[in-house]
Amino acid sequence: MSFTLAIVGRPNVGKSTLFNRLVGKRLALVDDQPGVTRDLREGAARLGDLRFTVIDTAGLENETDDSLPARMRRLTERAVDMADVCLFIVDARTGLLPDDRVFAEILRKRAGRVILAANKAEGNAADAGVFEAYELGLGEPVRLSAEHGEGMNELYSMLLPIS
Ligand code: GDP
Ligand code: MG
């Protein structure tokens, strides 16, 4: 059986980088400037022998106030409703920001299965951020580096029971 995975999280945590790695084509824009990718993108993902649909979420990411823009929240909710499982990504380098806790609440209320991932976790500069992710109360974070392809085996083993 195939399944749909939604990649969610605040801007700039590396959602599109992971999406591109899973889909293998540059379907989603990746940019250093938050605010470039928009809306929802769907792709056919491969991870080892797993085949599934992956959704990348984006939204109005360049608002000046630091609270989660309503559009981003609505898009995330749409993606969550389409998905069998959500991959919630936080940035292990910046550590948790208030918006991460907002997303955690949305997922707690709305999503069934949630896999937590701490991205940008290459090297030990990210250790503190990985441990901090436990505070979200969503279980043990998968330690990922979307950019360097690290942690993909662990992600595979989390997705295997869902497939
Ligand atoms: P999104 O807004 O969540 O889709 O984030 P992007 O995928 O656009 O990535 C935002 C920035 O983080 C880009 O500059 C990426 O190159 C960078 N990035 C993504 N994954 C990693 C990672 O594993 N390690 C590091 N150091 N940077 C990353
Ligand atoms: Mg993006």
Side-chain angles (χ1 to χ4, degrees), residues 11-12 14-17 28-31 36-38 41 56-59 61:
N12 227 29
K15 298 182 297 297
S16 300
T17 304
L29 284 171
V30 181
D31 199 275
V36 170
T37 36
R38 282 168 196 270
R41 267 159 239 275
D56 182 20
T57 50
E61 298 178 338

Side-chain angles (χ1 to χ4, degrees), residues 28-146:
L29 284 171
V30 181
D31 199 275
D32 285 329
Q33 294 285 309
V36 170
T37 36
R38 282 168 196 270
D39 301 316
L40 298 180
R41 267 159 239 275
E42 212 180 89
R46 302 169 68 133
L47 182 58
D49 57 354
L50 298 180
R51 301 286 179 273
F52 53 96
T53 301
V54 62
I55 299 168
D56 182 20
T57 50
L60 276 185
E61 298 178 338
N62 52 359
E63 307 246 319
T64 45
D65 69 84
D66 63 356
S67 72
L68 202 60
R71 184 157 169 267
M72 182 81 187
R73 191 190 293 251
R74 280 200 306 276
L75 276 172
T76 298
E77 289 173 350
R78 235 173 78 206
V80 165
D81 291 348
M82 289 164 72
D84 300 299
V85 55
C86 293
L87 182 64
F88 174 34
I89 302 191
V90 297
D91 182 329
R93 282 176 192 267
T94 60
L96 295 182
L97 298 185
D99 282 348
D100 292 314
R101 300 181 199 273
V102 173
F103 273 110
E105 264 327 291
I106 293 173
L107 293 173
R108 231 190 299 281
K109 287 192 185 124
R110 200 164 183 112
R113 280 179 281 217
V114 179
I115 298 169
L116 174 64
N119 189 41
K120 310 192 187 181
E122 73 276 1
N124 42 25
D127 287 354
V130 174
F131 288 121
E132 196 186 22
Y134 282 91
E135 282 177 27
L136 293 167
L138 290 167
E140 186 178 350
V142 176
R143 194 180 172 121
L144 278 189
S145 174

Side-chain angles (χ1 to χ4, degrees), residues 4-23:
T4 298
L5 173 76
I7 304 176
V8 301
R10 64 173 170 80
N12 227 29
V13 296
K15 298 182 297 297
S16 300
T17 304
L18 182 65
F19 177 91
N20 288 340
R21 181 171 285 281
L22 291 170
V23 171

